[in-house]
Amino acid sequence: MNIKKGDKLYVRIDYKAGQKGMTNQDLQDHLAYIQNIAGERYLIGGGFSNADGGMIIMEADSLEEARRIFEKDPLIERAFYRFDLFEWGLVIISEDNAD
């Protein structure tokens, strides 16, 4: 994907949703799901180092499509995390990444 000013990306911010114990298998299921999405569209993501949660930035056709995709993530379906979703309009891009 060639990112340029005016493009829209979708930002998911994750927050821990309770005390339910997540297993290594749950984490592996999440990573496999996200990796599959990353193979189909622009996506970057990771966990926060100073808080329990993370962020994913993804290309989608609409806010609704992004929400549908994110809601199918095993960590969300299994209620380990909840998320806020934002539509992000790109205004500034560093020269090294611009067209």
Side-chain angles (χ1 to χ4, degrees):
M1 174 181 176
N2 235 350
I3 300 172
K4 60 189 179 306
K5 291 178 186 177
D7 284 350
K8 290 186 180 175
L9 297 174
Y10 297 88
V11 180
R12 173 180 131 179
I13 306 291
D14 292 348
Y15 306 93
K16 186 100 170 134
Q19 300 303 316
K20 188 175 173 184
M22 185 172 67
T23 67
N24 187 50
Q25 186 60 56
D26 293 315
L27 179 59
Q28 294 306 312
D29 292 347
H30 158 72
L31 293 174
Y33 181 77
I34 296 301
Q35 188 64 44
N36 185 54
I37 295 167
E40 300 171 351
R41 62 187 71 230
Y42 177 81
L43 184 145
I44 57 174
F48 297 130
S49 297
N50 64 341
D52 192 1
M55 180 171 76
I56 299 171
I57 300 173
M58 179 183 75
E59 173 189 22
D61 291 334
S62 66
L63 187 65
E64 294 76 22
E65 179 189 37
R67 184 173 305 282
R68 282 192 304 272
I69 291 168
F70 287 142
E71 286 175 344
K72 292 179 184 175
D73 182 335
L75 293 189
I76 302 302
E77 284 187 327
R78 298 171 192 169
F80 294 115
Y81 286 85
R82 63 178 180 76
F83 69 92
D84 289 329
L85 181 59
F86 302 94
E87 185 176 75
W88 185 34
L90 301 179
V91 176
I92 299 172
I93 300 175
S94 65
E95 288 294 321
D96 291 343
N97 296 319
D99 288 339

